[in-house]
Amino acid sequence: MTQSVVVQVGQCGNQIGCCFWDLALREHAAVNKKGIYDEAISSFFRNVDTRVVGDGGNISKGKICSLKARAVLIDMEEGVVNEILQGPLRDVFDSKQLITDISGSGNNWAVGHKVFGSLYQEKILEKLRKSAEHCDCLQCFFIIHSMGGGTGSGLGTFLLKVLKDEFPEVYRFVTSIYPSGEDDVITSPYNSILAMKELNEHADCVLPIDNQSLFDIISKIDLMMNSGKLGAAIKPKSLVTSSTGVFKKRQEKPFDAMNNIVANLLLNLTSSARFEGSLNMDLNEIIMNLVPFPQLHYLVSSLTPLYTLADVNIPPRRLDQMFSDAFSKDHQLIRADPKHSLYLACALMVRGNVQISDLRRNIERLKPSLQFVSWNQEGWKTSLCSVPPVGHSHSLLALANNTCVKPTFIDLRERFIRLYKKKAHLHHYLQIEGMEESCFTEAVSSLSALIQEYNQLDATKSMPVEDLPRLNIAM
Amino acid sequence: MSIVTVQLGQCGNQIGFEVFDALFNDSHCPGGLCSKRENEAYQASCKERFFSEEENGVPVARAVLVDMERKVISQTLSKAARSGRWKYGQHSCFCQKQGSGNNWAYGYSVHGPRHKESIMNLIQKEVEKCDSLSGFFIIMSMAGGTGSGLGAFVTQNLQDQYSSALKMNHIIWPYGTGEVIVQNYNSILTLSHLYRSSDALLVHENDAVHKICAKLMNIKQISFCDINQVLAHQLGSVFQPTYSREGSFHYRRNPLGDLMENLVPHPEFKMLGVRNIPQMSENSLAYSTFTWAGLLKHLRQMLISNAKMEEGIDWQVRPPLSGLPPLGKMSVNKETHFNTSIANLVILRGKDVHSADVGAFKDPALYTSWLEPVHAFNVWKTQRAFRKYEKSAALVSNSQSLVKPLDMIVGKAWNMFASRAYLHQYTKFGIEEEDFLDSFTLLEQVIASYCNL
């Protein structure tokens, strides 16, 4: 079994990361009743003998002593990381795996990328190497960050190049929070576009997510819960937004519910690699099947169900509903409508009591309403993991490589151009050493090229699918 | 003579377990509709082929388990051990930590050379346990990365290292609507390589077995376990002992050799399919009776109309009148077409087997013109019943029945190849466009050859 290391960068990255570790512990506790440190847990956690000082404390088998997250926490302000270290998860993190500064990046990609990048490059490398050393077989880095700010966006993407050079064989999965339309950070378009160029060039796979979509999902859940009849019947632990078994009316932190959705995404993504099933899907298979061309590596994700009703006997109709929901635009974690755009590839990662016939039935049922690119008409990758998430009997994560991601990019470019035309706030960037106007123009070119690729694919949508002439063999 | 099984990847290992379980349970089935002495001879023959000397009284499967990541093998080993009746050898497994990522190139070019020595050593150890080796049975899927890529690599090495031993590859043909997006690439690379290094390819299609589970076995929520059990049943009906010849009560010693001799007369034609009737849920079995005449009639029609199960057979399809050439060359687009065979093997097990009349299978109209029915058709028998079936009939055939599925896979792979999609994943590990083209060429040749029968 392989291990993965999570690198959480910036305020957003660290807050999501924190929720992720909380839910990961909860999931493993639910599955692993005997408290034995097994391969599944080792994918994200080290087992450490806390009595041993220094590095020698790793225990590879036997009872769980103390679990330490395979994580590196990076933030250029101290507030968020300090809060984590004083909170209930403080023992999960290795205090040596942190990099913090005091002043913050001021929502400036250039500060995060150029200034802090060069300042902390050595230290970052050191922490990453350390975390890699603790792994028997490191397969993947999960980077969590936001695109609109300074640290997550700038330093987070600086990291990608470092990872690519230092660990070329290890996959780089990036979970990126894109700024919503009403983002309150004025410079978020600049930061996002500059970061996009790095994602285009150095990430293996990106899962774009936006706050508005997460917020809409939460609103939907709230509506269900407060609608009286059904509200009482929802299992609190099953909420895709809940962190503990305790159902709180008001969340402690404003973004917790939204962050938990992203955390669940990451757990479901890795479930088939960690737990057993009749059709396993490892992380390298995700990249192999969903990235037909290196630059088209943006995957739109959706999670269903969002909650489980307390009714234990779920009739098969509900199971099929789960599949239908996965393709509805209301369940996507980014503002996108995959049903009305073109699919390049689609992965269905199912957990729980679902068998191959259920999967096949639903693919047959949904296929006619979806459009796949001509050379990948049967572009489905599927997996069955026997272990369901906490509070559910089954769940589905759908990953789509679909042109529906284009509007987000076009929108981003528009907002960037509006700002850039007026040269607003540009001096904050240009005064940083290493930054020139060409950085901006190159970044926007890179994005335009990507949009153009999606345009070309979309153009093939209405064309009839014809089989190409085959090789002629002389007999 | 013994058969050494190599189980590769998740699919290969999951199926392998069900096969050994089916073989063991059948050979230890009480009764079997024959005498105690007969039963013992059957058991002994099955054991010689598939199980080696007991360790603490528990028979050990003659198998090598290979996977590039650990989860499935651990499960397989513990399932066997838990049954308490047979098990896998403790040291018969080879695992790594990271899988092949559904990448044929990775399985073939990276895992293969890297682990060649360890894997071949394991196989050698298993071979040494055999008094006399009949050959290898390699179980793998085409769609993934390990079974397909590493499977092709291992088969090639078996050919180099054991040139006189026979190799039969059991290949799982993936569902038409994807399990794996790059399954068509992986499939054509696998088939073209195996065509060069294997002696016979015994194919099971997921779609066909799935239908059997749905329609004949009446299983509502079909799992891979269900599918694998049906598959194992079919393989068991082929590989369990049969008499060495008409009138003899001794079991044949070299099943693989005999299979090859009967079914693969020409190296250009290696694709074998298997059909087995009756196949039904145990509940229905209790209320059913069969006659050999009825079973054989259905089996024959399944063959010529290319039906994969005994429901929904098209009885309109008839063989061309003897003496006249078949109605035009086969076109893959024609709906109902008469399925021409190169060779057929019928295997009959159960009550009154000696009274079964297989004459209808000797009709020259069933076969291609360059082979006489006396060479093209064979029948194996045993009066020992298979599992709970009073009478069961299996048909292993080398015929046109796999042309259409093969053509579909080649067509889809070709379309994808034209767009260059996913190629970077293969070229990264040394499989170039030229290798793809070679595979396409070889397979178009195979399709054409079969079409021209």
Side-chain angles (χ1 to χ4, degrees):
Chain A
M1 173 131 4
T2 56
Q3 290 81 43
S4 301
V5 170
V6 174
V7 186
Q8 31 195 90
V9 192
Q11 171 174 25
C12 174
N14 276 290
Q15 284 175 339
I16 294 177
C18 198
C19 292
F20 169 76
W21 291 111
D22 190 17
L23 289 183
L25 281 171
R26 185 178 73 152
E27 180 168 86
H28 281 286
V31 176
N32 190 331
K33 304 272 195 229
K34 293 192 194 142
I36 303 285
Y37 181 68
D38 61 12
E39 294 213 315
I41 297 190
S42 85
S43 63
F44 279 119
F45 295 95
R46 287 162 47 213
N47 189 17
V48 174
D49 185 347
T50 40
R51 294 167 299 177
V52 176
V53 177
D55 278 332
N58 278 343
I59 313 172
S60 51
K61 286 196 219 299
K63 281 225 128 211
I64 291 174
C65 188
S66 169
L67 290 175
K68 293 277 180 221
R70 298 189 191 277
V72 177
L73 288 68
I74 303 177
D75 200 358
M76 296 296 100
E77 298 177 314
E78 292 182 316
V80 178
V81 175
N82 278 343
E83 220 183 304
I84 296 177
L85 293 179
Q86 281 155 20
L89 288 176
R90 60 180 168 274
D91 291 324
V92 174
F93 296 105
D94 183 344
S95 56
K96 296 194 271 341
Q97 289 296 81
L98 316 166
I99 300 179
T100 54
D101 198 299
I102 314 174
S103 41
S105 304
N107 285 327
N108 186 330
W109 182 93
V111 173
H113 195 95
K114 305 275 184 190
V115 175
F116 286 126
S118 53
L119 194 58
Y120 285 104
Q121 176 160 8
E122 275 314 309
K123 219 171 169 196
I124 290 175
L125 261 176
E126 185 207 312
K127 307 292 180 194
L128 291 172
R129 282 193 194 123
K130 215 359 96 58
S131 60
E133 271 164 37
H134 286 308
C135 296
D136 199 16
C137 180
L138 175 61
Q139 184 180 48
C140 193
F141 282 107
F142 282 100
I143 296 105
I144 314 179
H145 73 144
S146 72
M147 299 284 279
T151 301
S153 176
L155 190 54
T157 51
F158 174 81
L159 252 183
L160 286 178
K161 183 90 183 18
V162 170
L163 288 171
K164 191 174 182 179
D165 292 337
E166 183 73 12
F167 306 94
E169 317 241 307
V170 182
Y171 295 104
R172 296 170 293 286
F173 265 88
V174 190
T175 305
S176 306
I177 309 298
Y178 279 66
S180 307
E182 310 92 40
D183 194 81
D184 52 2
V185 175
I186 302 180
T187 49
S188 68
Y190 286 161
N191 299 330
S192 303
I193 298 278
L194 290 163
M196 272 293 289
K197 175 160 179 290
E198 308 299 310
L199 290 182
N200 281 341
E201 289 172 18
H202 306 305
D204 285 316
C205 187
V206 179
L207 300 161
I209 299 181
D210 75 54
N211 275 338
Q212 189 60 46
S213 302
L214 294 177
F215 188 75
D216 288 342
I217 289 176
I218 302 216
S219 309
K220 243 175 80 120
I221 296 177
D222 277 344
L223 207 66
M224 283 303 290
M225 292 202 310
N226 298 325
S227 68
K229 272 193 298 188
L230 283 169
I234 293 182
K235 286 205 259 179
K237 243 195 188 160
S238 73
L239 285 170
V240 74
T241 53
S242 88
S243 42
T244 61
V246 181
F247 170 53
K248 294 182 195 157
K249 276 243 183 73
R250 189 181 306 172
Q251 297 286 2
E252 292 270 31
K253 293 191 211 57
F255 286 95
D256 259 1
M258 290 159 63
N259 293 342
N260 280 325
I261 299 178
V262 184
N264 272 307
L265 164 69
L266 289 173
L267 280 179
N268 286 342
L269 191 71
T270 54
S271 60
S272 187
R274 288 176 291 139
F275 301 119
E276 43 135 56
S278 63
L279 190 58
N280 296 335
M281 178 143 101
D282 209 344
L283 296 166
N284 48 11
E285 293 176 40
I286 296 180
I287 299 198
M288 176 68 185
N289 286 285
L290 294 175
V291 183
F293 299 99
Q295 59 280 32
L296 299 177
H297 56 243
Y298 294 87
L299 304 179
V300 175
S301 50
S302 69
L303 277 176
T304 55
L306 300 173
Y307 49 78
T308 314
L309 298 182
D311 182 1
V312 177
N313 297 317
I314 302 173
R317 193 171 54 87
R318 292 240 186 260
L319 183 59
D320 286 12
Q321 186 61 43
M322 177 176 82
F323 281 91
S324 302
D325 284 342
F327 291 92
S328 123
K329 64 176 161 63
D330 297 332
H331 279 76
Q332 309 301 320
L333 298 189
I334 188 167
R335 208 173 25 100
D337 189 5
K339 257 183 150 163
H340 295 104
S341 307
L342 188 67
Y343 273 91
L344 302 181
C346 185
L348 296 176
M349 304 183 69
V350 186
R351 297 181 67 169
N353 185 17
V354 182
Q355 300 299 345
I356 187 71
S357 56
D358 301 312
L359 200 45
R360 304 218 59 72
R361 178 180 70 246
N362 281 287
I363 289 179
E364 294 302 314
R365 186 173 64 86
L366 293 166
K367 223 166 60 119
S369 60
L370 304 170
Q371 285 195 64
F372 275 80
V373 73
S374 65
W375 41 260
N376 206 1
Q377 293 273 291
E378 280 84 29
W380 298 92
K381 165 67 180 162
T382 54
S383 78
L384 294 165
C385 171
S386 322
V387 177
V390 176
H392 292 268
S393 60
H394 49 253
S395 78
L396 171 64
L397 164 63
L399 294 173
N401 192 337
N402 187 310
T403 57
C404 66
V405 81
K406 198 176 62 170
T408 304
F409 295 155
I410 291 180
D411 201 47
L412 210 55
R413 189 175 58 177
E414 304 277 285
R415 281 189 265 154
F416 171 88
I417 290 175
R418 258 182 269 138
L419 263 186
Y420 192 64
K421 261 200 323 212
K422 298 186 256 166
K423 306 278 189 242
H425 303 278
L426 212 49
H427 56 286
H428 291 304
Y429 292 77
L430 297 177
Q431 72 194 15
I432 305 291
E433 186 178 330
M435 285 299 289
E436 293 163 7
E437 287 215 25
S438 61
C439 295
F440 287 89
T441 48
E442 275 168 21
V444 95
S445 294
S446 169
L447 182 57
S448 293
L450 183 64
I451 292 174
Q452 186 52 17
E453 296 241 16
Y454 283 112
N455 278 333
Q456 280 174 345
L457 285 163
D458 269 336
T460 67
K461 239 197 315 186
S462 38
M463 282 164 33
V465 178
E466 266 166 28
D467 280 337
L468 294 163
R470 299 258 292 271
L471 289 176
N472 256 318
I473 304 293
M475 281 300 288
Chain B
M1 295 174 85
S2 311
I3 298 176
V4 169
T5 300
V6 184
Q7 320 181 163
L8 290 143
Q10 171 165 31
C11 175
N13 280 290
Q14 285 177 183
I15 290 178
F17 167 77
E18 299 294 350
V19 172
F20 280 105
D21 209 40
L23 292 170
F24 186 88
N25 288 334
D26 170 56
S27 69
H28 287 258
C29 210
L33 294 180
C34 56
S35 66
K36 182 162 179 255
R37 210 177 58 143
E38 173 88 53
N39 255 332
E40 281 170 7
Y42 186 81
Q43 233 182 62
S45 176
C46 170
K47 199 179 125 198
E48 185 199 7
R49 293 176 185 195
F50 297 108
F51 296 91
S52 61
E53 281 307 306
E54 5 268 85
E55 280 173 18
N56 320 318
V58 180
V60 177
R62 297 188 190 277
V64 174
L65 295 74
V66 178
D67 201 358
M68 290 299 102
E69 66 101 20
R70 264 194 277 264
K71 290 196 297 284
V72 180
I73 288 193
S74 310
Q75 264 198 303
T76 310
L77 287 177
S78 60
K79 266 208 284 199
R82 251 181 296 159
S83 74
R85 316 183 67 202
W86 64 275
K87 63 183 193 181
Y88 285 104
Q90 257 183 324
H91 303 288
S92 304
C93 320
F94 180 78
C95 274
Q96 283 298 286
K97 295 168 197 161
Q98 186 168 190
S100 305
N102 286 167
N103 191 329
W104 193 94
Y106 200 81
Y108 185 83
S109 308
V110 178
H111 282 310
R114 203 180 277 174
H115 307 299
K116 172 178 159 176
E117 223 180 287
S118 312
I119 297 176
M120 297 312 283
N121 278 342
L122 271 186
I123 296 178
Q124 175 67 15
K125 281 215 196 77
E126 201 57 51
V127 168
E128 280 164 13
K129 287 195 220 153
C130 307
D131 277 337
S132 148
L133 179 68
S134 170
F136 298 98
F137 187 60
I138 302 130
I139 312 181
M140 53 197 265
S141 75
M142 291 201 302
T146 298
S148 69
L150 185 59
F153 183 83
V154 168
T155 308
Q156 228 164 272
N157 279 282
L158 286 175
Q159 189 185 39
D160 295 334
Q161 204 167 320
Y162 302 90
S163 48
S164 54
L166 294 163
K167 292 166 303 297
M168 175 175 278
N169 289 69
H170 180 233
I171 304 185
I172 301 304
W173 208 267
Y175 286 100
T177 24
E179 300 168 23
V180 169
I181 293 178
V182 289
Q183 63 186 43
N184 298 314
Y185 280 171
N186 292 339
S187 297
I188 58 140
L189 289 165
T190 304
L191 286 170
S192 61
H193 277 77
L194 286 182
Y195 230 83
R196 294 182 205 123
S197 52
S198 175
D199 297 304
L201 309 180
L202 184 61
V203 175
H204 260 119
E205 297 164 80
N206 269 349
D207 277 305
V209 184
H210 189 107
K211 279 210 192 83
I212 293 177
C213 286
K215 302 263 164 66
L216 299 179
M217 313 289 286
N218 270 319
I219 304 174
K220 288 286 176 308
Q221 206 189 15
I222 302 168
S223 66
F224 271 120
C225 189
D226 298 316
I227 291 186
N228 293 343
Q229 285 180 347
V230 168
L231 229 144
H233 177 92
Q234 295 204 340
L235 288 175
S237 73
V238 173
F239 282 103
Q240 285 293 51
T242 50
Y243 302 134
S244 54
R245 57 178 186 285
E246 195 79 39
S248 164
F249 286 95
H250 290 293
Y251 285 107
R252 68 181 63 240
R253 301 293 312 287
N254 188 358
L256 271 187
D258 295 339
L259 269 169
M260 304 294 186
E261 197 185 309
N262 292 338
L263 291 167
V264 189
H266 189 297
E268 185 76 10
F269 302 93
K270 287 181 182 167
M271 312 263 295
L272 307 177
V274 58
R275 295 168 172 86
N276 170 272
I277 60 173
Q279 188 128 42
M280 53 182 47
S281 64
E282 275 192 23
N283 308 333
S284 316
L285 194 53
Y287 303 104
S288 317
T289 50
F290 301 93
T291 61
W292 286 118
L295 287 175
L296 288 166
K297 187 169 172 207
H298 276 78
L299 205 52
R300 182 176 181 273
Q301 193 60 26
M302 280 164 69
L303 170 66
I304 64 183
S305 67
N306 201 13
K308 309 271 160 90
M309 62 179 185
E310 66 254 45
E311 213 184 85
I313 301 176
D314 184 350
W315 291 93
Q316 298 298 325
V317 180
R318 295 235 184 286
L321 295 171
S322 28
L324 297 172
L327 298 150
K329 281 214 287 249
M330 176 189 183
S331 144
V332 271
N333 300 313
K334 273 224 287 253
E335 272 304 328
T336 47
H337 162 82
F338 171 74
N339 187 31
T340 306
S341 304
I342 291 179
N344 283 307
L345 170 66
V346 164
I347 305 174
L348 304 175
R349 301 173 184 276
K351 189 170 170 199
D352 299 331
V353 77
H354 294 293
S355 68
D357 176 13
V358 295
F361 279 93
K362 295 184 187 163
D363 181 357
L366 265 55
Y367 300 94
T368 183
S369 54
W370 45 266
L371 213 52
E372 296 281 322
V374 69
H375 299 303
F377 175 71
N378 284 278
V379 57
W380 294 356
K381 295 179 182 172
T382 174
Q383 65 191 25
R384 197 325 185 134
F386 181 58
R387 299 179 106 181
K388 299 228 167 89
Y389 292 80
E390 185 197 68
K391 298 187 179 80
S392 76
L395 169 67
V396 187
S397 48
N398 188 341
S399 71
Q400 293 174 323
S401 65
L402 287 163
V403 172
K404 206 155 173 212
L406 179 58
D407 186 70
M408 269 188 49
I409 285 193
V410 172
K412 289 187 199 163
W414 184 246
N415 278 339
M416 192 181 270
F417 181 69
S419 73
R420 297 286 176 278
Y422 299 103
L423 287 182
H424 67 286
Q425 312 270 20
Y426 291 85
T427 53
K428 208 166 33 166
F429 299 111
I431 299 296
E432 303 297 332
E433 290 193 15
E434 216 173 270
D435 298 302
F436 277 87
L437 284 170
D438 285 344
S439 299
F440 281 116
T441 311
L442 191 149
L443 291 176
E444 295 284 11
Q445 190 95 45
V446 172
I447 294 173
S449 303
Y450 270 100
C451 281
N452 282 325
L453 284 178

